[in-house]
Amino acid sequence: MANKVVIGAQWGDEGKAKITDLLAQDADLIIRYQGGCNAGHTVVANGKTFKFHLIPSGILYKGKTCLIGNGTVVLPEYFEQEIEGLKKENIDLSGLKVSPLATITMPWHTEVDGYSEDKAQKGKIGTTKKGIGPTYTDKMARIALKIGDLYSKEALEEKLDVILPLKNKQLEKVYGLKTYSKEEVLALCEKYAKIFEPYVCFEWQELLQKFKKEGKKVLFEGAQGVMLDVDFGTYPFVTSSNPIGGGACTGSGYGPKMIDEVIGVAKAYVTRVGEGPFVTELTDEIGDTIREVGHEFGVTTGRPRRCGWFDAVTMKYACLVGGLTSIALTKIDVFDKFDEIKVCTAYKDKRSGKIYNSYPTDVYIHKYLEPVYETHSGWGQDITGIRKYEDLPENARKYLERLEEILDTPISIVSVGPDREQTIFKG
Ligand code: GDP
Ligand code: IMO
Ligand code: MG
């Protein structure tokens, strides 16, 4: 197997975990490289459903090394909960490792995230309230704690002497929130140190070096999706990290030459949770049908997902900035009973009639855009049991081949159901 990155090519929840789990069979090392427990990743295997937030979706296979990379932000209590859940399922966690360079989400980060979402008058993003934005903000401002800091009292105290006066002033004066004493935070950190102790990997350089030297196979697992990328997504309605393929390098410790393929996972339609533009959104009964048939409710927050037709304009953009070498198209089975399936090939400005064939990065004009659709005939049969590309109904194959043509990118995997087995490798 080549070294692969699996990323979301839309607004998240594309089925990345299903594809990661599938490809993890042939990998030796699986690395989660960005995001935190805002992610909700579902794997259905051996008749069971597993939901992951931080732990790489490759953990279900024995003998693999699963690393939570430096680019992630980790909420200790959530990590602990996830570990406990997996232990109850008797999942072998001996291969799980956490980078000491991963950033810790402290209680003030979740509190500020909650405040910004609930109390702020303007600028609601619809976040998962898991402290993601405030943690990455502090990381970039160089006032965050890293997991490695928990094991050096000297480093911790020195850092807290800088962080706490600043943070407390901010918490009190800007947000009207509770402040933290040094003793209180040190006690918290002691608790966190115990949580991470069995997994923290101070030898991560030797580990990465060894895998590289021995030509072992590496699979990078992205969270969120290209359209939620802090640089390329529908800013400011994005997450605070880089889910694009390039994020795999900054978030793992491996350079670009370690990556052979970037697989962009996309649904045969589009969903989005939270605020922000969504040109192909369907607020009618077709959208409701997609939500019902596709079970489109968030794994992390339970929120109903907004649904719409496949948007080839954003997808073409995702192929470029995400660095996709191929696409894994999921959930095409959701259309089994649809007579017609639409694909948005361009946007039209309602005011001027101007046609956009490329994605306009100025999101403030998106409210004036309407989709230009082409319509495909459905296939009217259950395809969830099909395992070979040539066994798919002709209309399904035509639809897939047309998408490849528009996107100028091959579809390498077609997913026809949530289960690991319900997959077609297109070749
Ligand atoms: P992720 O965040 O990208 O890993 O995706 P989520 O787990 O949040 O959401 C994807 C949902 O779709 C999960 O419930 C999966 O079990 C399910 N799923 C994945 N692939 C398919 C598919 O091809 N067909 C159907 N019907 N469901 C799928
Ligand atoms: P996975 O990995 C879908 C969305 C939130 C919100 C925005 C910012 O399961 O695909 P944040 O909490 O990150 O500051 O929220 O990003 N969001 C996701 N949407 N899937 C996800 O992860 C998401 N992670 C964050 O809904 O709009
Ligand atoms: Mg998800």
Side-chain angles (χ1 to χ4, degrees), residues 246-411:
C249 295
T250 54
S252 70
Y254 276 132
K257 282 229 162 184
M258 276 293 283
I259 297 170
D260 302 303
E261 291 179 26
V262 182
I263 300 167
V265 187
K267 283 176 188 167
Y269 48 91
V270 177
T271 63
R272 167 157 217 180
V273 226
E275 308 298 314
F278 180 175
V279 176
T280 63
E281 181 169 15
L282 295 163
T283 50
D284 56 7
E285 65 274 19
I286 302 176
D288 293 342
T289 307
I290 293 177
R291 187 175 308 105
E292 263 164 50
V293 181
H295 305 291
E296 295 298 350
F297 296 90
V299 177
T300 301
T301 58
R303 291 180 289 180
R305 295 172 181 152
R306 299 157 66 191
C307 298
W309 291 118
F310 189 85
D311 183 347
V313 181
T314 57
M315 189 66 201
K316 251 193 289 183
Y317 175 72
C319 288
L320 176 72
V321 301
L324 305 195
T325 54
S326 75
I327 296 164
L329 199 78
T330 60
K331 298 194 123 171
I332 74 160
D333 53 295
V334 170
F335 288 147
D336 281 357
K337 290 186 178 153
F338 277 55
D339 295 330
E340 285 188 338
I341 298 154
K342 293 195 181 188
V343 173
C344 166
T345 53
Y347 296 158
K348 183 177 166 189
D349 193 318
K350 287 181 249 184
R351 300 165 301 177
S352 60
K354 179 177 171 179
I355 296 288
Y356 289 89
N357 291 304
S358 300
Y359 172 76
T361 52
D362 173 7
V363 299
Y364 288 94
I365 67 158
H366 285 207
K367 59 176 172 289
Y368 302 116
L369 302 179
E370 60 186 21
V372 178
Y373 285 123
E374 64 178 34
T375 304
H376 296 255
S377 301
W379 41 89
Q381 77 176 73
D382 182 345
I383 60 167
T384 55
I386 293 176
R387 300 290 175 268
K388 282 196 199 131
Y389 185 72
E390 52 276 21
D391 293 341
L392 281 172
E394 193 187 354
N395 280 354
R397 278 183 281 125
K398 269 193 192 160
Y399 164 74
L400 292 167
E401 282 154 29
R402 174 65 183 143
L403 290 187
E404 288 182 312
E405 186 182 42
I406 303 171
L407 302 170
D408 199 19
T409 308
I411 294 174

Side-chain angles (χ1 to χ4, degrees), residues 222-237:
Q224 289 81 53
V226 172
M227 300 313 292
L228 288 170
D229 186 279
V230 70
D231 283 275
F232 295 106
T234 46
Y235 191 91
F237 304 99

Side-chain angles (χ1 to χ4, degrees), residues 92-208:
D92 176 20
L93 296 174
S94 58
L96 179 64
K97 302 193 184 299
V98 182
S99 168
L101 295 180
T103 306
I104 306 172
T105 294
M106 297 300 286
W108 50 83
H109 294 130
T110 37
E111 285 152 15
V112 167
D113 199 3
Y115 173 94
S116 308
E117 285 297 306
D118 300 335
K119 305 253 170 60
Q121 299 298 311
K122 282 187 171 177
K124 194 171 167 318
I125 306 286
T127 75
T128 57
K129 299 188 195 171
K130 297 292 186 293
I132 304 296
T135 312
Y136 277 114
T137 302
D138 282 358
K139 172 183 169 175
M140 291 308 180
R142 296 159 292 191
I143 53 165
L145 293 175
K146 304 278 185 147
I147 289 178
D149 296 333
L150 299 172
Y151 303 93
S152 158
K153 190 139 195 291
E154 192 186 344
L156 198 56
E157 291 217 24
E158 218 171 275
K159 273 193 157 184
L160 287 178
D161 286 339
V162 176
I163 296 170
L164 278 181
L166 197 73
K167 212 23 73 183
N168 280 335
K169 209 178 270 176
Q170 217 180 43
L171 289 170
E172 193 181 0
K173 303 260 190 283
V174 180
Y175 301 104
L177 290 168
K178 153 187 189 311
T179 57
Y180 286 84
S181 70
K182 191 171 166 186
E183 293 65 43
E184 196 181 354
V185 178
L186 283 172
L188 262 180
C189 287
E190 213 177 299
K191 187 178 102 182
Y192 294 167
K194 287 203 186 97
I195 295 176
F196 293 117
E197 197 156 10
Y199 310 102
V200 64
C201 180
F202 285 102
E203 313 73 34
W204 66 270
Q205 295 175 50
E206 290 78 9
L207 182 93
L208 262 58

